[in-house]
Amino acid sequence: MGVSCSLCEGRAVYYRSSSGHYLCISCLGRMLERSIRRHLGKFAALKPRGRVLVPVTCYNTMASLGLAYITSFIKRGYESEIRVAIPSSVYLDQYSIDTLARSTSIISVDVSPRYRFSNIVDTLRYDRVWSIILAKILGYDTILLPITITDYTILGLEALLSGSEELLGDVVDKLTLDSVNVINALSTIEAEAIISYAFLVGLNGYCLDDSYEKIKASRIFYSVSPKGPELEFSSVKTIDFLRGALLRKLRYTCSVCGGLSLHPDKCSSCNNNSFDKMRVEVKNNTNIYTR
């Protein structure tokens, strides 16, 4: 890059437009860590003797890897137990597995049956369902998902374009099902920053069952996003307003994924995919899935 870090004079590797800083990899990590720590503090997610699960997800796999890596630093000073779960639906290269294993506790999880996702709602709710099932099996009380502020804007826009009211119900900071709290841990961070950080520390992975086409809202969002970071942060207020207007219609909570639903008992996604029949099995810790 040929530019010095705005904070420490080291070699900058990333320009964060939302703050106007040129950052080295260490300072980028610290800025992300502080932002995530503040956000989680609102929900007391890192309470003494708390048990926190960080799933590597099919939706935005690289963002979830960045979150998993940063949580190894966030937990310092707390008595919380944090564990990263890698499902059979996600591929990680061996370097990524070794890197995560050095910094935090990881487990391999077999999720069945295998699904081929046709839309973004199914992917989001699949990740949440297997994570909740696993949390119950292991006795964890908190799940951290990698939904960023960029995702909030894109998912909210996609909900409006597709008429998917239940998708708009997923754009919330916290959901609770059977005493398991599900927190969108990156909702104050732009996707580019966390994904770039994951890439810069050498992490690499992707969903093996991702078959849906890129959502229309992504093309619209990225066609205007170069105009400035204000789009990501200001649009959330509009999404929140629209979601609030729908609360009267989304008056049910899905008993499977915990998401807001148009229907009693199960949301459309969990019902259509029979997610209530999903099986989750913890594999031997040394048997991490590789291809």
Side-chain angles (χ1 to χ4, degrees), residues 23-62:
L23 300 168
C24 67
I25 189 169
S26 295
C27 288
L28 173 60
R30 281 192 288 270
M31 287 188 73
L32 294 175
E33 177 189 347
R34 284 196 296 270
S35 182
I36 295 171
R37 190 188 295 272
R38 283 195 300 268
H39 181 60
L40 295 181
K42 297 176 183 178
F43 309 103
L46 298 176
K47 56 183 179 295
R49 293 179 297 281
R51 307 192 76 202
V52 180
L53 186 70
V54 184
V56 178
T57 58
C58 267
Y59 181 81
N60 211 340
T61 302
M62 287 297 289

Side-chain angles (χ1 to χ4, degrees), residues 102-114:
R102 283 194 298 268
S103 60
T104 192
S105 173
I106 62 176
I107 56 172
S108 177
V109 182
D110 184 63
V111 181
S112 60
R114 296 290 288 271

Side-chain angles (χ1 to χ4, degrees), residues 145-157:
L145 291 180
I147 313 301
T148 66
I149 194 168
T150 310
D151 295 314
Y152 272 27
T153 299
I154 293 175
L155 294 173
L157 182 57

Side-chain angles (χ1 to χ4, degrees), residues 178-223:
D178 299 332
S179 299
V180 177
N181 296 315
V182 183
I183 299 173
N184 288 335
L186 301 178
S187 64
T188 59
I189 291 174
E190 63 278 23
E192 180 187 86
I194 189 68
I195 292 172
S196 296
Y197 181 70
F199 174 79
L200 289 167
V201 298
L203 300 175
N204 182 42
Y206 56 85
C207 180
L208 292 165
D209 298 327
D210 180 355
S211 63
Y212 61 84
E213 296 182 0
K214 195 172 184 65
I215 58 179
K216 296 177 182 178
S218 291
R219 294 194 296 271
I220 297 173
F221 174 82
Y222 287 110
S223 70

Side-chain angles (χ1 to χ4, degrees), residues 87-155:
S88 51
S89 52
V90 168
Y91 166 73
L92 300 187
D93 63 23
Q94 193 60 48
Y95 179 84
S96 299
I97 293 170
D98 294 341
T99 300
L100 290 174
R102 283 194 298 268
S103 60
T104 192
S105 173
I106 62 176
I107 56 172
S108 177
V109 182
D110 184 63
V111 181
S112 60
R114 296 290 288 271
Y115 297 89
R116 300 297 292 178
F117 305 114
S118 60
N119 61 71
I120 199 67
V121 184
D122 290 349
T123 311
L124 286 167
R125 300 203 169 191
Y126 162 85
D127 286 326
R128 199 159 66 232
V129 171
W130 76 255
S131 299
I132 290 172
I133 294 173
L134 180 62
K136 291 178 181 179
I137 291 172
L138 299 177
Y140 281 69
D141 50 54
T142 301
I143 297 168
L144 304 184
L145 291 180
I147 313 301
T148 66
I149 194 168
T150 310
D151 295 314
Y152 272 27
T153 299
I154 293 175
L155 294 173

Side-chain angles (χ1 to χ4, degrees), residues 6-17:
S6 303
L7 302 181
C8 75
E9 304 276 321
R11 177 176 172 269
V13 294
Y14 179 75
Y15 175 68
R16 193 178 188 194
S17 58

